[in-house]
Amino acid sequence: MAYTKGTVFGSPLFVLRCYGNDVGVTRWGFAVGKRIAKRAVVRNRTKRRIREIARGLKVTPGLDLVVVARAPAITADASELADGLARVLRRAGALVVAE
């Protein structure tokens, strides 16, 4: 549902699709297309890196989030990925802001 009906937010590193769910738990999806990286090893490594960064972020519960990597995300370092993901989640209103 998040991919087909969700609201889309873009950034240089990611495309985020966000959709509310009735479960009350945030569910994540990560995608790196074949057009971005031909080798599965590179695609899987990129998804693992993004997943680990997402694990450390405090996100509003009750959302389905799909993070699609763009080409610059393949070569970005961890701090760039973390900043980019936090920025796009903040724009979507999905990031819980610490007081």
Side-chain angles (χ1 to χ4, degrees):
M1 282 299 245
Y3 202 83
T4 57
K5 293 186 178 182
T7 307
V8 180
F9 299 92
S11 77
L13 295 176
F14 305 108
V15 174
L16 175 72
R17 294 174 187 269
C18 183
Y19 190 74
N21 66 32
D22 296 330
V23 181
V25 176
T26 299
R27 299 182 293 193
W28 290 88
F30 302 95
V32 180
K34 262 190 182 178
R35 268 191 272 167
I36 304 303
K38 300 291 183 203
R39 298 178 60 212
V41 172
V42 176
R43 292 193 306 269
N44 291 335
R45 182 184 324 120
T46 304
K47 284 188 277 190
R48 282 194 306 270
R49 292 174 68 207
I50 297 168
R51 189 178 300 120
E52 185 60 33
I53 290 166
R55 186 176 287 137
L57 296 174
K58 187 107 170 140
V59 179
T60 305
L63 295 174
D64 290 337
L65 301 169
V66 178
V67 180
V68 181
R70 289 187 167 167
I74 302 293
T75 57
D77 63 8
S79 65
E80 290 173 337
L81 289 175
D83 290 342
L85 188 57
R87 188 175 298 123
V88 76
L89 284 168
R90 198 173 302 115
R91 281 187 47 220
L95 195 62
V96 175
V97 180
E99 295 178 13

